[in-house]
Amino acid sequence: SSNGQLPPHLWSDHKQLTISVQACAQKATSVLSSLGFSSVVRNGYFSYGNLRDNRAAVKCIENQGGSFVYFAVAGSNKESVEKLRNEIAWKF
């Protein structure tokens, strides 16, 4: 890029859950908060927050009587982005 900065790393994953989409959305905000994310915002079934120079987004979608959760973490450091993505996955 012209400003000399590398693009951020982006790691994502998804899971099918047996809980309602409402419960998934509540869990998403509690997962981000428990990992130390700040400025955690929930907008319907979409939650996001910041941790140091990383940003995470979690989206819950109603699916087959349960819910589908998609989560992504972006940031400049590959190791911390991967670690945070894995920690979010484990907590779901």
Coordinates of all heavy atoms in Angstrom, one line a residue:
S1 N 0.8 -1.2 0.0 CA 0.0 0.0 0.0 C 0.9 1.2 0.0 O 2.0 1.2 0.4 CB -0.9 0.0 1.2 OG -0.2 0.0 2.4
S2 N 0.3 2.4 -0.4 CA 1.1 3.6 -0.6 C 1.6 4.2 0.7 O 2.6 4.9 0.8 CB 0.3 4.6 -1.3 OG -0.9 4.9 -0.6
N3 N 0.9 3.9 1.9 CA 1.4 4.5 3.1 C 2.4 3.6 3.8 O 2.8 3.9 4.9 CB 0.2 4.7 4.1 CG -0.5 3.4 4.5 OD1 -0.1 2.3 4.1 ND2 -1.6 3.6 5.2
G4 N 2.9 2.5 3.2 CA 3.9 1.7 3.8 C 3.5 0.7 4.8 O 4.3 0.0 5.4
Q5 N 2.2 0.7 5.2 CA 1.7 -0.2 6.2 C 1.3 -1.5 5.5 O 0.7 -1.5 4.5 CB 0.6 0.4 7.0 CG 1.0 1.4 7.9 CD -0.1 1.8 8.9 OE1 -1.2 2.1 8.4 NE2 0.1 1.9 10.1
L6 N 1.5 -2.6 6.2 CA 1.1 -3.9 5.7 C -0.4 -4.0 6.0 O -0.9 -3.5 7.0 CB 1.8 -5.1 6.4 CG 3.3 -5.1 6.1 CD1 4.0 -6.2 7.0 CD2 3.5 -5.5 4.6
P7 N -1.2 -4.8 5.2 CA -2.6 -5.0 5.5 C -2.7 -5.8 6.8 O -1.8 -6.6 7.1 CB -3.1 -5.7 4.3 CG -1.9 -6.3 3.6 CD -0.8 -5.4 4.0
P8 N -3.8 -5.7 7.5 CA -4.0 -6.5 8.7 C -4.1 -7.9 8.5 O -4.6 -8.3 7.4 CB -5.2 -5.9 9.4 CG -6.0 -5.3 8.2 CD -5.0 -4.8 7.2
H9 N -3.8 -8.7 9.4 CA -4.0 -10.2 9.4 C -5.5 -10.4 9.7 O -6.0 -9.7 10.6 CB -3.2 -10.9 10.4 CG -1.7 -10.9 10.0 ND1 -1.1 -11.8 9.1 CD2 -0.7 -10.0 10.3 CE1 0.1 -11.5 9.0 NE2 0.4 -10.4 9.7
L10 N -6.2 -11.3 9.1 CA -7.6 -11.6 9.4 C -7.7 -13.1 9.5 O -7.4 -13.9 8.6 CB -8.4 -11.1 8.2 CG -9.9 -11.4 8.3 CD1 -10.5 -10.7 9.5 CD2 -10.7 -11.0 7.1
W11 N -8.2 -13.6 10.7 CA -8.4 -15.0 10.9 C -9.9 -15.1 11.3 O -10.4 -14.3 12.1 CB -7.5 -15.5 12.1 CG -6.1 -15.6 11.7 CD1 -5.2 -14.6 11.2 CD2 -5.3 -16.8 11.6 NE1 -4.0 -15.1 11.0 CE2 -4.0 -16.5 11.2 CE3 -5.6 -18.2 11.9 CZ2 -3.0 -17.4 11.0 CZ3 -4.6 -19.1 11.7 CH2 -3.3 -18.7 11.3
S12 N -10.5 -16.1 10.8 CA -11.9 -16.3 11.1 C -12.2 -17.8 11.2 O -11.4 -18.7 10.9 CB -12.8 -15.7 10.0 OG -12.6 -16.4 8.8
D13 N -13.4 -18.1 11.8 CA -13.9 -19.5 11.9 C -15.4 -19.4 12.1 O -16.0 -18.3 12.2 CB -13.2 -20.1 13.1 CG -13.2 -21.7 13.0 OD1 -13.8 -22.2 12.1 OD2 -12.6 -22.3 13.9
H14 N -16.0 -20.6 12.2 CA -17.5 -20.6 12.4 C -17.8 -21.9 13.1 O -17.1 -22.9 13.1 CB -18.2 -20.5 11.1 CG -17.9 -21.6 10.1 ND1 -16.9 -21.5 9.2 CD2 -18.4 -22.8 10.0 CE1 -16.8 -22.6 8.5 NE2 -17.7 -23.4 9.0
K15 N -19.0 -21.9 13.8 CA -19.5 -23.1 14.4 C -21.0 -23.1 14.3 O -21.7 -22.1 14.3 CB -19.1 -23.1 15.9 CG -17.7 -23.4 16.2 CD -17.5 -23.5 17.7 CE -16.0 -24.0 18.0 NZ -15.8 -24.2 19.4
Q16 N -21.5 -24.3 14.3 CA -23.0 -24.5 14.4 C -23.3 -24.8 15.9 O -22.6 -25.7 16.5 CB -23.4 -25.7 13.5 CG -24.9 -26.1 13.6 CD -25.8 -25.0 13.0 OE1 -25.5 -24.4 12.0 NE2 -26.9 -24.8 13.7
L17 N -24.2 -24.1 16.4 CA -24.6 -24.2 17.9 C -26.0 -24.8 18.0 O -26.8 -24.5 17.2 CB -24.4 -22.9 18.6 CG -23.1 -22.2 18.4 CD1 -23.1 -20.8 19.0 CD2 -21.9 -23.0 19.0
T18 N -26.3 -25.4 19.2 CA -27.6 -25.9 19.4 C -28.4 -24.9 20.3 O -29.4 -25.3 20.8 CB -27.5 -27.3 20.1 OG1 -26.7 -27.2 21.3 CG2 -26.9 -28.3 19.2
I19 N -27.9 -23.7 20.5 CA -28.6 -22.7 21.3 C -29.3 -21.7 20.4 O -29.0 -21.6 19.2 CB -27.6 -22.0 22.2 CG1 -26.5 -21.3 21.4 CG2 -27.1 -22.9 23.3 CD1 -25.5 -20.4 22.3
S20 N -30.3 -21.0 20.9 CA -31.0 -20.0 20.1 C -30.1 -18.9 19.6 O -29.0 -18.6 20.2 CB -32.2 -19.4 20.9 OG -31.7 -18.6 21.9
V21 N -30.5 -18.2 18.6 CA -29.7 -17.1 18.1 C -29.6 -16.0 19.2 O -28.6 -15.3 19.3 CB -30.3 -16.5 16.8 CG1 -31.6 -15.9 16.9 CG2 -29.3 -15.6 16.1
Q22 N -30.7 -15.8 20.0 CA -30.6 -14.8 21.1 C -29.5 -15.2 22.1 O -28.8 -14.4 22.6 CB -32.0 -14.7 21.8 CG -33.1 -14.0 21.0 CD -33.8 -15.0 20.1 OE1 -33.5 -16.2 20.0 NE2 -34.9 -14.5 19.5
A23 N -29.5 -16.5 22.5 CA -28.5 -17.0 23.4 C -27.1 -16.9 22.8 O -26.1 -16.5 23.5 CB -28.8 -18.4 23.8
C24 N -27.0 -17.1 21.6 CA -25.7 -17.0 20.9 C -25.2 -15.5 20.9 O -24.0 -15.3 21.2 CB -25.9 -17.4 19.4 SG -24.4 -17.1 18.4
A25 N -26.1 -14.6 20.7 CA -25.7 -13.2 20.7 C -25.3 -12.7 22.1 O -24.4 -12.0 22.3 CB -26.9 -12.3 20.2
Q26 N -26.0 -13.3 23.2 CA -25.6 -12.9 24.5 C -24.2 -13.5 24.9 O -23.4 -12.9 25.5 CB -26.7 -13.5 25.5 CG -28.0 -12.7 25.5 CD -29.1 -13.3 26.3 OE1 -29.0 -14.5 26.6 NE2 -30.1 -12.5 26.7
K27 N -24.0 -14.8 24.4 CA -22.7 -15.4 24.6 C -21.6 -14.7 23.9 O -20.5 -14.6 24.5 CB -22.8 -16.9 24.2 CG -21.6 -17.7 24.6 CD -21.9 -19.2 24.4 CE -20.7 -20.0 24.8 NZ -20.4 -20.0 26.2
A28 N -21.9 -14.2 22.7 CA -20.9 -13.5 22.0 C -20.3 -12.3 22.8 O -19.1 -12.1 22.9 CB -21.4 -13.0 20.7
T29 N -21.2 -11.5 23.4 CA -20.7 -10.3 24.1 C -20.0 -10.8 25.4 O -19.0 -10.2 25.8 CB -21.9 -9.4 24.5 OG1 -22.9 -10.1 25.1 CG2 -22.4 -8.7 23.3
S30 N -20.5 -11.8 26.0 CA -19.8 -12.3 27.3 C -18.4 -12.9 26.9 O -17.5 -12.7 27.7 CB -20.6 -13.2 28.1 OG -20.8 -14.5 27.4
V31 N -18.3 -13.6 25.8 CA -17.0 -14.2 25.4 C -16.0 -13.0 25.1 O -14.9 -13.1 25.6 CB -17.2 -15.0 24.1 CG1 -15.8 -15.3 23.4 CG2 -17.9 -16.4 24.5
L32 N -16.4 -12.0 24.4 CA -15.5 -10.9 24.1 C -15.1 -10.2 25.4 O -13.9 -9.9 25.6 CB -16.1 -9.9 23.1 CG -16.3 -10.4 21.7 CD1 -17.0 -9.4 20.8 CD2 -15.0 -10.9 21.0
S33 N -16.0 -9.9 26.3 CA -15.7 -9.3 27.5 C -14.8 -10.1 28.4 O -13.8 -9.6 29.0 CB -17.0 -9.0 28.3 OG -17.8 -8.1 27.6
S34 N -15.0 -11.4 28.4 CA -14.2 -12.3 29.3 C -12.8 -12.4 28.8 O -11.9 -12.7 29.6 CB -14.8 -13.7 29.3 OG -14.6 -14.4 28.1
L35 N -12.5 -12.2 27.5 CA -11.2 -12.2 26.9 C -10.5 -10.9 27.1 O -9.3 -10.7 26.6 CB -11.2 -12.6 25.5 CG -11.6 -14.1 25.2 CD1 -11.8 -14.4 23.7 CD2 -10.5 -15.0 25.8
G36 N -11.2 -9.9 27.6 CA -10.5 -8.6 27.8 C -10.8 -7.6 26.8 O -10.1 -6.5 26.8
F37 N -11.6 -7.9 25.8 CA -12.0 -6.9 24.8 C -12.7 -5.7 25.5 O -13.5 -5.9 26.4 CB -12.9 -7.5 23.7 CG -12.1 -8.3 22.7 CD1 -11.8 -9.6 23.0 CD2 -11.7 -7.7 21.5 CE1 -11.1 -10.4 22.0 CE2 -11.0 -8.5 20.6 CZ -10.7 -9.8 20.9
S38 N -12.4 -4.5 25.0 CA -13.0 -3.3 25.5 C -13.9 -2.7 24.4 O -13.9 -3.2 23.2 CB -12.0 -2.3 25.9 OG -11.2 -1.9 24.7
S39 N -14.8 -1.8 24.8 CA -15.7 -1.2 23.9 C -16.5 -2.2 23.1 O -16.8 -2.1 21.9 CB -15.0 -0.3 22.8 OG -14.1 0.6 23.4
V40 N -17.0 -3.2 23.9 CA -17.8 -4.3 23.3 C -19.2 -3.8 23.0 O -19.8 -3.2 23.9 CB -17.8 -5.6 24.2 CG1 -18.8 -6.6 23.7 CG2 -16.4 -6.1 24.4
V41 N -19.6 -3.8 21.8 CA -20.8 -3.3 21.4 C -21.7 -4.5 20.8 O -21.1 -5.3 20.0 CB -20.7 -2.2 20.3 CG1 -22.0 -1.8 19.7 CG2 -19.9 -1.0 20.9
R42 N -22.9 -4.5 21.1 CA -23.8 -5.5 20.5 C -24.9 -4.8 19.8 O -25.6 -3.9 20.3 CB -24.4 -6.4 21.6 CG -25.4 -7.4 21.0 CD -25.9 -8.4 22.0 NE -27.2 -9.0 21.6 CZ -28.0 -9.6 22.4 NH1 -27.7 -9.8 23.7 NH2 -29.1 -10.1 21.9
N43 N -25.1 -5.1 18.5 CA -26.1 -4.5 17.7 C -26.9 -5.7 17.1 O -26.5 -6.4 16.1 CB -25.5 -3.7 16.5 CG -26.5 -3.0 15.7 OD1 -27.7 -3.2 15.8 ND2 -26.0 -2.2 14.8
G44 N -28.1 -6.0 17.7 CA -28.8 -7.2 17.3 C -28.1 -8.4 17.6 O -27.7 -8.7 18.7
Y45 N -27.8 -9.2 16.5 CA -27.0 -10.5 16.7 C -25.6 -10.3 16.3 O -24.9 -11.3 16.0 CB -27.7 -11.6 15.9 CG -29.2 -11.8 16.3 CD1 -30.1 -12.0 15.3 CD2 -29.5 -11.8 17.6 CE1 -31.5 -12.2 15.7 CE2 -30.9 -12.0 18.0 CZ -31.8 -12.2 17.0 OH -33.1 -12.4 17.4
F46 N -25.1 -9.1 16.2 CA -23.7 -8.8 15.8 C -23.0 -8.1 17.0 O -23.5 -7.1 17.5 CB -23.8 -7.9 14.6 CG -22.4 -7.5 14.0 CD1 -21.7 -8.4 13.3 CD2 -21.9 -6.3 14.2 CE1 -20.4 -8.1 12.8 CE2 -20.7 -5.9 13.8 CZ -19.9 -6.8 13.0
S47 N -21.8 -8.6 17.4 CA -21.1 -8.0 18.5 C -19.6 -7.8 18.0 O -19.1 -8.5 17.2 CB -21.0 -9.0 19.7 OG -22.3 -9.2 20.1
Y48 N -19.0 -6.7 18.5 CA -17.6 -6.5 18.2 C -16.9 -5.7 19.3 O -17.6 -5.2 20.2 CB -17.5 -5.7 16.9 CG -18.3 -4.5 16.8 CD1 -17.8 -3.2 17.1 CD2 -19.6 -4.5 16.3 CE1 -18.5 -2.1 17.0 CE2 -20.4 -3.4 16.2 CZ -19.8 -2.2 16.6 OH -20.6 -1.0 16.5
G49 N -15.6 -5.8 19.3 CA -14.8 -5.2 20.4 C -13.4 -5.0 20.0 O -12.9 -5.6 19.0
N50 N -12.6 -4.3 20.8 CA -11.2 -4.1 20.5 C -10.3 -4.6 21.7 O -10.8 -4.5 22.9 CB -11.0 -2.5 20.4 CG -11.8 -1.9 19.3 OD1 -11.8 -2.4 18.2 ND2 -12.5 -0.9 19.7
L51 N -9.2 -5.1 21.3 CA -8.2 -5.5 22.3 C -6.8 -5.2 21.8 O -6.4 -5.7 20.8 CB -8.3 -7.0 22.6 CG -7.4 -7.6 23.6 CD1 -7.6 -7.0 25.0 CD2 -7.5 -9.1 23.7
R52 N -6.2 -4.2 22.5 CA -4.9 -3.7 22.0 C -5.1 -3.2 20.5 O -6.0 -2.4 20.3 CB -3.8 -4.6 22.2 CG -3.5 -4.9 23.7 CD -2.3 -5.8 23.9 NE -2.5 -7.2 23.3 CZ -3.1 -8.2 24.0 NH1 -3.6 -7.9 25.2 NH2 -3.3 -9.3 23.4
D53 N -4.3 -3.7 19.6 CA -4.5 -3.3 18.2 C -5.4 -4.3 17.4 O -5.3 -4.3 16.2 CB -3.2 -2.9 17.5 CG -2.4 -4.2 17.3 OD1 -2.6 -5.2 17.9 OD2 -1.5 -4.1 16.4
N54 N -6.1 -5.1 18.1 CA -6.9 -6.1 17.4 C -8.4 -5.8 17.5 O -8.8 -5.1 18.5 CB -6.7 -7.5 18.1 CG -5.3 -7.9 18.1 OD1 -4.7 -8.2 17.0 ND2 -4.7 -8.0 19.2
R55 N -9.2 -6.2 16.5 CA -10.6 -6.0 16.5 C -11.3 -7.3 16.2 O -10.8 -8.0 15.3 CB -11.0 -4.9 15.5 CG -12.4 -4.5 15.5 CD -12.6 -3.2 14.9 NE -13.9 -2.7 14.7 CZ -14.6 -2.1 15.7 NH1 -14.1 -1.9 16.9 NH2 -15.9 -1.8 15.5
A56 N -12.3 -7.7 17.0 CA -13.0 -8.9 16.7 C -14.5 -8.6 16.4 O -15.0 -7.6 16.9 CB -12.9 -9.8 17.9
A57 N -15.0 -9.4 15.6 CA -16.5 -9.3 15.2 C -17.1 -10.7 15.3 O -16.5 -11.7 14.9 CB -16.7 -8.8 13.8
V58 N -18.3 -10.8 15.9 CA -19.0 -12.1 16.1 C -20.4 -11.9 15.6 O -21.1 -11.0 16.1 CB -19.0 -12.6 17.6 CG1 -19.6 -13.9 17.7 CG2 -17.6 -12.6 18.2
K59 N -20.8 -12.7 14.7 CA -22.2 -12.6 14.2 C -22.9 -13.9 14.4 O -22.4 -15.0 14.0 CB -22.1 -12.3 12.7 CG -23.5 -12.0 12.1 CD -23.4 -11.4 10.7 CE -24.8 -11.2 10.1 NZ -25.5 -10.1 10.7
C60 N -24.1 -13.9 14.9 CA -25.0 -15.0 15.1 C -26.1 -15.0 14.1 O -26.7 -14.0 13.9 CB -25.5 -15.1 16.5 SG -24.2 -15.2 17.8
I61 N -26.4 -16.2 13.5 CA -27.5 -16.3 12.5 C -28.4 -17.5 12.9 O -27.8 -18.5 13.3 CB -26.9 -16.5 11.1 CG1 -25.9 -15.4 10.8 CG2 -28.0 -16.7 10.1 CD1 -24.9 -15.7 9.7
E62 N -29.7 -17.3 12.9 CA -30.6 -18.4 13.1 C -30.4 -19.5 12.1 O -30.3 -19.2 10.9 CB -32.0 -17.8 13.1 CG -33.0 -18.7 13.9 CD -34.3 -18.0 14.1 OE1 -34.4 -16.8 14.0 OE2 -35.3 -18.8 14.4
N63 N -30.3 -20.7 12.5 CA -30.1 -21.8 11.5 C -30.6 -23.1 12.1 O -30.1 -23.6 13.1 CB -28.6 -21.9 11.3 CG -28.2 -22.8 10.1 OD1 -29.0 -23.0 9.2 ND2 -27.0 -23.4 10.2
Q64 N -31.5 -23.7 11.4 CA -32.0 -25.1 11.7 C -32.3 -25.3 13.1 O -31.9 -26.3 13.7 CB -30.9 -26.1 11.2 CG -30.7 -26.1 9.7 CD -29.5 -26.9 9.3 OE1 -28.7 -27.3 10.1 NE2 -29.5 -27.3 8.0
G65 N -33.1 -24.4 13.7 CA -33.5 -24.5 15.1 C -32.4 -24.1 16.1 O -32.7 -24.1 17.3
G66 N -31.2 -23.9 15.7 CA -30.2 -23.5 16.5 C -29.6 -22.2 16.0 O -30.3 -21.3 15.5
S67 N -28.3 -22.1 16.0 CA -27.7 -20.9 15.5 C -26.3 -21.2 14.9 O -25.7 -22.2 15.2 CB -27.5 -19.8 16.6 OG -26.9 -20.3 17.7
F68 N -25.9 -20.3 14.0 CA -24.6 -20.4 13.3 C -23.8 -19.2 13.8 O -24.4 -18.1 13.7 CB -24.8 -20.4 11.8 CG -23.6 -20.4 11.0 CD1 -23.0 -21.6 10.7 CD2 -23.0 -19.3 10.5 CE1 -21.9 -21.7 9.9 CE2 -21.9 -19.3 9.8 CZ -21.3 -20.5 9.4
V69 N -22.6 -19.4 14.3 CA -21.8 -18.2 14.7 C -20.6 -18.1 13.9 O -19.9 -19.1 13.6 CB -21.5 -18.3 16.2 CG1 -20.6 -19.6 16.6 CG2 -20.8 -17.1 16.7
Y70 N -20.3 -16.9 13.4 CA -19.2 -16.6 12.6 C -18.4 -15.6 13.4 O -18.9 -14.6 13.9 CB -19.6 -16.1 11.2 CG -18.4 -15.5 10.4 CD1 -17.7 -16.4 9.6 CD2 -18.1 -14.2 10.4 CE1 -16.6 -15.9 8.9 CE2 -17.0 -13.7 9.7 CZ -16.3 -14.6 8.9 OH -15.2 -14.1 8.2
F71 N -17.1 -15.8 13.5 CA -16.2 -14.8 14.2 C -14.9 -14.6 13.5 O -14.4 -15.5 12.8 CB -16.0 -15.3 15.7 CG -15.7 -16.8 15.8 CD1 -14.4 -17.2 15.8 CD2 -16.7 -17.7 16.0 CE1 -14.1 -18.6 15.9 CE2 -16.5 -19.0 16.1 CZ -15.2 -19.5 16.1
A72 N -14.5 -13.4 13.5 CA -13.3 -13.0 12.9 C -12.5 -12.0 13.7 O -13.0 -11.2 14.5 CB -13.6 -12.3 11.5
V73 N -11.1 -12.1 13.6 CA -10.3 -11.2 14.4 C -9.3 -10.6 13.4 O -8.7 -11.3 12.5 CB -9.5 -11.9 15.5 CG1 -8.6 -11.0 16.2 CG2 -10.4 -12.6 16.5
A74 N -9.1 -9.3 13.4 CA -8.1 -8.6 12.6 C -7.1 -7.8 13.4 O -7.5 -7.3 14.5 CB -8.8 -7.7 11.6
G75 N -5.9 -7.8 13.0 CA -4.9 -7.0 13.7 C -3.6 -7.1 12.9 O -3.4 -7.8 11.9
S76 N -2.6 -6.4 13.5 CA -1.3 -6.3 12.8 C -0.3 -7.5 13.1 O 0.6 -7.7 12.4 CB -0.6 -5.0 13.1 OG -0.4 -4.9 14.5
N77 N -0.6 -8.2 14.2 CA 0.3 -9.2 14.7 C -0.3 -10.6 14.4 O -1.3 -10.9 15.1 CB 0.7 -9.0 16.1 CG 1.6 -10.1 16.6 OD1 1.2 -11.2 17.0 ND2 2.9 -9.8 16.6
K78 N 0.3 -11.4 13.5 CA -0.3 -12.7 13.2 C -0.6 -13.6 14.4 O -1.6 -14.2 14.5 CB 0.6 -13.4 12.1 CG 0.1 -14.7 11.7 CD 1.1 -15.3 10.7 CE 0.8 -16.7 10.3 NZ 1.1 -17.7 11.4
E79 N 0.4 -13.7 15.3 CA 0.3 -14.6 16.4 C -0.8 -14.2 17.3 O -1.6 -15.1 17.8 CB 1.6 -14.7 17.2 CG 2.7 -15.4 16.5 CD 3.4 -14.7 15.3 OE1 3.3 -13.4 15.3 OE2 3.9 -15.4 14.4
S80 N -1.0 -12.9 17.6 CA -2.0 -12.5 18.5 C -3.4 -12.6 17.9 O -4.4 -13.0 18.5 CB -1.8 -11.1 19.1 OG -1.9 -10.1 18.1
V81 N -3.5 -12.4 16.6 CA -4.8 -12.5 15.9 C -5.2 -14.0 15.9 O -6.3 -14.3 16.2 CB -4.6 -12.0 14.4 CG1 -5.8 -12.4 13.6 CG2 -4.5 -10.5 14.4
E82 N -4.2 -14.9 15.6 CA -4.6 -16.3 15.6 C -5.0 -16.8 17.0 O -5.9 -17.5 17.1 CB -3.4 -17.1 15.1 CG -3.6 -18.6 15.1 CD -2.4 -19.4 14.6 OE1 -1.3 -18.9 14.6 OE2 -2.6 -20.6 14.4
K83 N -4.2 -16.4 18.0 CA -4.5 -16.8 19.4 C -5.9 -16.3 19.8 O -6.7 -17.1 20.4 CB -3.4 -16.2 20.3 CG -3.6 -16.6 21.8 CD -2.3 -16.1 22.5 CE -2.4 -16.4 24.0 NZ -3.2 -15.4 24.7
L84 N -6.2 -15.0 19.5 CA -7.5 -14.5 19.9 C -8.7 -15.3 19.2 O -9.7 -15.6 19.8 CB -7.6 -13.0 19.6 CG -6.8 -12.2 20.6 CD1 -6.7 -10.7 20.1 CD2 -7.4 -12.2 22.0
R85 N -8.5 -15.5 17.9 CA -9.4 -16.3 17.1 C -9.7 -17.7 17.8 O -10.8 -18.1 18.0 CB -9.0 -16.5 15.7 CG -10.0 -17.0 14.7 CD -10.1 -18.6 14.7 NE -8.9 -19.3 14.7 CZ -8.3 -19.9 13.6 NH1 -8.9 -19.7 12.4 NH2 -7.2 -20.6 13.7
N86 N -8.6 -18.4 18.2 CA -8.7 -19.7 18.8 C -9.4 -19.6 20.1 O -10.2 -20.5 20.5 CB -7.3 -20.3 18.9 CG -6.7 -20.7 17.6 OD1 -7.4 -20.8 16.6 ND2 -5.4 -20.9 17.6
E87 N -9.1 -18.5 20.9 CA -9.7 -18.4 22.2 C -11.2 -18.2 22.1 O -12.0 -18.7 22.9 CB -9.0 -17.3 23.0 CG -7.6 -17.7 23.5 CD -6.9 -16.6 24.2 OE1 -7.4 -15.4 24.2 OE2 -5.9 -16.9 24.8
I88 N -11.6 -17.4 21.1 CA -13.0 -17.2 20.9 C -13.7 -18.5 20.5 O -14.8 -18.9 21.0 CB -13.3 -16.1 19.8 CG1 -12.9 -14.7 20.3 CG2 -14.8 -16.1 19.4 CD1 -12.8 -13.6 19.3
A89 N -13.1 -19.2 19.6 CA -13.6 -20.5 19.2 C -13.8 -21.5 20.4 O -14.8 -22.1 20.5 CB -12.7 -21.2 18.2
W90 N -12.8 -21.6 21.2 CA -12.8 -22.5 22.4 C -14.0 -22.1 23.3 O -14.6 -23.0 23.9 CB -11.5 -22.5 23.1 CG -10.4 -23.1 22.4 CD1 -10.4 -24.1 21.5 CD2 -9.0 -22.7 22.4 NE1 -9.2 -24.4 21.0 CE2 -8.3 -23.5 21.5 CE3 -8.3 -21.7 23.2 CZ2 -6.9 -23.4 21.3 CZ3 -6.9 -21.6 23.0 CH2 -6.2 -22.5 22.1
K91 N -14.2 -20.8 23.5 CA -15.3 -20.4 24.4 C -16.7 -20.7 23.9 O -17.7 -20.7 24.6 CB -15.1 -18.9 24.8 CG -13.9 -18.8 25.8 CD -13.8 -17.3 26.3 CE -12.7 -17.2 27.3 NZ -13.1 -17.6 28.6
F92 N -16.8 -20.9 22.6 CA -18.1 -21.3 22.0 C -18.2 -22.8 22.0 O -19.3 -23.3 21.8 CB -18.3 -20.7 20.6 CG -18.9 -19.3 20.6 CD1 -18.1 -18.2 20.4 CD2 -20.3 -19.2 20.8 CE1 -18.7 -16.9 20.4 CE2 -20.9 -17.9 20.8 CZ -20.1 -16.8 20.6

